[in-house]
Amino acid sequence: AYCLYTSGSTGNPKGVLIEHGTLCNFVNSNPKNIEIENYTKNGKISLAFAAITFDVSVMEEYIPLTNGMTICMANEEEIHNPPALAELLLTNHVDIMKCTPSFMMSIVDIPQMKDALSQIKAFDIGAEAFPPVLYDKMRAVNPTADIINSYGPTECTVSCTSKLLTESGNVNIGGPLTNMKLYVVNETNHSLPVGISGELIICGAGVGRGYMNLPDKTSEAFFTYKGLPAYHSGDLVKWNDEGEIVFLGRIDNQVKLRGLRI
């Protein structure tokens, strides 16, 4: 369906191959796909302003277009100028918005953004760790909107987990979306119990085909686990008592900057 290149955090950028079936699984609106239903059940007009080379753009275009919604596309000026962005949102009655936590943190306290953000019915926040203080800031501007915290690497079709946030004291990345399974494992790929940290293994229908023309890199990251297509996320996580995934960081020295792995 498409090929997107990673940010090249470990060597040269790698082209991630995503098939039509995994994309169809991702955009399908059903009760297990709570991130997608956050779009389709709450609003009608979705903001799109991610770079086309960033997999968030797949979400911003394909979810609305496959579910009978309208896309409102921001230009370069509106992306970088909060008053212009606010005018775009208000003029076009935008009520769905996806962005990174760092972008939301940069605009949520700007007075000119208040009216525009207050009309949003559903926020989808992802691509970086969600700071708990951001939840309270967003609630001060918009007390009623649904706020989803989403997680997923480009290799697994944009998102593979989501959580509907209800308080700043319980921010995590939730559980798997439709036809996905998650495992927390040790160095030998054995499943770990609740509360013990390990690597997150992502399995199921959202796992991509691999890296373009890089068989060695593909075999390192993509494999089969418990009979399912699987991907080594490299993320350090643990299960909590509610059966949700708590993100703890990386098992290597990568960090996220504006949604990109560095």
Side-chain angles (χ1 to χ4, degrees), residues 185-190 225:
V185 303
N186 62 14
E187 293 85 352
T188 56
N189 286 344
H190 286 91
Y225 191 73

Side-chain angles (χ1 to χ4, degrees), residues 136-213:
D136 293 328
K137 286 178 174 288
M138 293 176 68
R139 277 287 172 249
V141 173
N142 189 323
T144 60
D146 283 353
I147 301 174
I148 284 275
N149 184 29
S150 63
Y151 161 88
T154 300
E155 289 86 346
C156 295
T157 319
V158 189
S159 295
C160 57
T161 82
S162 287
K163 177 180 173 62
L164 179 64
L165 300 181
T166 57
E167 57 177 320
S168 59
N170 187 23
V171 173
N172 59 60
I173 60 175
L177 299 177
T178 300
N179 297 317
M180 301 296 290
K181 288 191 174 182
L182 308 175
Y183 296 94
V184 181
V185 303
N186 62 14
E187 293 85 352
T188 56
N189 286 344
H190 286 91
S191 295
L192 296 171
V194 171
I196 304 300
S197 61
E199 184 188 10
L200 177 64
I201 300 297
I202 303 166
C203 303
V207 176
R209 183 187 296 179
Y211 299 118
M212 179 179 285
N213 300 325

Side-chain angles (χ1 to χ4, degrees), residues 3-165:
C3 175
L4 283 180
Y5 278 79
T6 66
S7 50
S9 54
T10 52
N12 294 322
K14 300 181 290 290
V16 179
L17 297 167
I18 299 297
E19 298 182 345
H20 291 85
T22 56
L23 179 58
C24 290
N25 182 73
F26 171 66
V27 301
N28 184 259
S29 182
N30 64 73
K32 290 287 187 180
N33 256 358
I34 65 168
E35 182 176 25
I36 311 308
E37 286 207 334
N38 189 47
Y39 273 73
T40 61
K41 300 296 185 183
N42 283 312
K44 297 180 179 178
I45 303 175
S46 172
L47 176 66
F49 71 128
I52 201 72
T53 53
F54 188 17
D55 68 352
V56 168
S57 69
V58 174
M59 170 176 287
E60 291 178 337
E61 273 95 52
Y62 280 95
I63 294 174
L65 289 177
T66 56
N67 289 282
M69 301 169 65
T70 299
I71 302 170
C72 176
M73 300 189 76
N75 61 30
E76 198 72 14
E77 167 69 12
E78 291 156 345
I79 292 170
H80 299 294
N81 183 344
L85 180 62
E87 183 178 356
L88 176 76
L89 299 180
L90 291 168
T91 301
N92 293 280
H93 309 288
V94 171
D95 49 17
I96 306 288
M97 182 176 179
K98 164 77 180 183
C99 67
T100 62
S102 55
F103 183 85
M104 180 58 65
M105 190 73 82
S106 72
I107 66 171
V108 69
D109 292 326
I110 297 176
Q112 295 95 321
M113 289 297 304
K114 182 176 181 181
D115 288 344
L117 294 177
S118 67
Q119 78 177 13
I120 301 295
K121 297 176 181 175
F123 293 97
D124 190 310
I125 309 296
E128 299 165 355
F130 192 116
V133 67
L134 177 59
Y135 178 84
D136 293 328
K137 286 178 174 288
M138 293 176 68
R139 277 287 172 249
V141 173
N142 189 323
T144 60
D146 283 353
I147 301 174
I148 284 275
N149 184 29
S150 63
Y151 161 88
T154 300
E155 289 86 346
C156 295
T157 319
V158 189
S159 295
C160 57
T161 82
S162 287
K163 177 180 173 62
L164 179 64
L165 300 181

